[in-house]
Amino acid sequence: MNQLSLQPTLTSRWNLFLSAVDAATTARLIMLFALLGAVLLPSDVLAQTVTFPKVDVDGVDDDSTGSEILIAIFKWGGRFVIWGVMGWAGIVCLKTILASWQEQKSKEAGRWGALVADTFGSVIMVIVVIAIGLWVLSFIK
């Protein structure tokens, strides 16, 4: 019969320690060589030229003064705000119509005339907000 030869506990623990130290040392050496390669490898040949994107803004060119550029930025911001207000008015209109619909639907004796009045009033307000917004936008151009 074959007999198993067991290593003493002290020897096996020593071998386990050496393998752990060896693995940690190997990982550190690999990290060191990777960092050295990252530092030493790039050169001027591999470098990319950085170019800024070209943006064409209405009313701004190479000869524009600072005030003209600020005016163009404020116009752009104004357009953004006006379109946001018009979109917000549409969302509020939709929310009002849906809330009125749910209110009338939940009542036993719903007054559908109130729903029509809320809907009509909300739509008129949205049309007025959009008309004023488009009128102001025509001056901003």
Side-chain angles (χ1 to χ4, degrees):
M1 291 190 137
N2 284 338
Q3 290 204 359
L4 295 173
S5 60
L6 297 175
Q7 295 180 350
T9 308
L10 185 60
T11 308
S12 63
R13 287 184 182 167
W14 178 253
N15 287 337
L16 183 63
F17 172 74
L18 287 179
S19 65
V21 167
D22 196 27
T25 305
T26 305
R28 287 186 181 129
L29 283 174
I30 290 172
M31 182 63 79
L32 178 68
F33 286 130
L35 288 173
L36 282 173
V39 169
L40 298 176
L41 181 65
S43 64
D44 292 338
V45 175
L46 299 175
Q48 296 180 356
T49 57
V50 178
T51 58
F52 289 105
K54 304 255 184 222
V55 178
D56 294 329
V57 179
D58 294 336
V60 177
D61 56 4
D62 293 337
D63 299 330
S64 295
T65 62
S67 62
E68 291 172 345
I69 293 173
L70 282 176
I71 290 171
I73 291 172
F74 283 129
K75 283 182 179 181
W76 182 84
R79 286 185 199 124
F80 185 77
V81 168
I82 290 170
W83 279 106
V85 167
M86 289 191 292
W88 177 73
I91 291 171
V92 168
C93 171
L94 186 61
K95 283 177 57 176
T96 303
I97 291 171
L98 291 176
S100 181
W101 174 268
Q102 287 297 329
E103 181 183 345
Q104 297 306 321
K105 191 176 177 184
S106 66
K107 292 182 180 178
E108 290 295 324
R111 296 183 347 191
W112 294 101
L115 173 67
V116 171
D118 286 345
T119 302
F120 187 70
S122 295
V123 170
I124 293 297
M125 287 305 295
V126 168
I127 290 172
V128 167
V129 168
I130 290 175
I132 291 172
L134 291 175
W135 179 67
V136 172
L137 282 174
S138 69
F139 289 113
I140 290 180
K141 289 244 177 193

